Amino acid sequence: MSRLPRAVIDTNVVVSAFVFRTGTLAWLREAIVNSRLIPLVSDETLAELMRVLAYPRFRLTAEDRENIIVHYMEHAEAIKQPRTRARLPRCRDPDDEMFIRLAYAAKADAIVTGDEDLLSIAPDSSIPILTPVAFRKMMGEAIGKA
């Protein structure tokens, strides 16, 4: 790939990569902060990330949440009001459609998710919808090894 890969990364994957810094998705955080991958965000996806980071189970202070958002957004490409004329695959969970809209509007290289509702429509999508493991494999050296 001659340019940096650009991907829509679903909220749970972002949270796993940035909250659990030594977890199985640490490689993804490292790829993002080392500018080997550009995450794509919209107002909707950012709002959801902020909401999820506030869940009590993560025990994050307001400062922790702000640091994660700032750190993530330093490396992200924001797409304002993602719109596309492309025919979008329909997801059985309407809350996940924001990721599809964003990916198609931004012409993303992939949607990275562990969400079964999104993964189930992969055969109908012209943009690859991949698990983090499959995405890492697809991108190979472009995102580096952990």
Side-chain angles (χ1 to χ4, degrees):
M1 182 168 264
S2 61
R3 63 172 175 77
L4 289 177
R6 297 164 64 248
V8 172
I9 306 171
D10 95 4
T11 305
N12 291 330
V13 174
V14 174
V15 168
S16 292
F18 280 80
V19 173
F20 306 107
R21 297 178 62 87
T22 59
T24 60
L25 294 180
W27 65 269
L28 183 62
R29 180 183 32 74
E30 291 303 314
I32 292 168
V33 300
N34 291 316
S35 301
R36 292 190 307 259
L37 167 64
I38 300 170
L40 300 167
V41 298
S42 68
D43 290 342
E44 282 181 296
T45 63
L46 183 57
E48 180 175 271
L49 177 58
M50 292 168 65
R51 181 179 57 78
V52 171
L53 287 172
Y55 287 175
R57 71 174 172 242
F58 296 128
R59 297 187 177 125
L60 298 171
T61 65
E63 183 179 358
D64 292 337
R65 294 189 304 268
E66 183 179 338
N67 287 339
I68 289 170
I69 294 293
V70 167
H71 201 58
Y72 184 61
M73 291 303 294
E74 282 177 342
H75 305 282
E77 180 182 335
I79 307 297
K80 295 291 180 191
Q81 299 177 338
R83 292 193 177 100
T84 181
R85 293 179 189 253
R87 186 163 193 195
L88 304 178
R90 284 280 166 221
C91 188
R92 60 187 174 214
D93 181 353
D95 291 340
D96 289 332
E97 289 182 2
M98 67 180 149
F99 299 109
I100 300 164
R101 275 192 308 277
L102 174 58
Y104 276 77
K107 297 179 173 55
D109 294 306
I111 298 171
V112 183
T113 185
D115 186 305
E116 287 301 322
D117 291 326
L118 285 168
L119 291 168
S120 71
I121 62 169
D124 302 323
S125 178
S126 61
I127 292 177
I129 302 175
L130 305 166
T131 65
V133 170
F135 177 69
R136 186 178 189 185
K137 221 175 267 184
M138 181 185 104
M139 300 316 289
E141 291 302 313
I143 59 171
K145 304 284 185 222

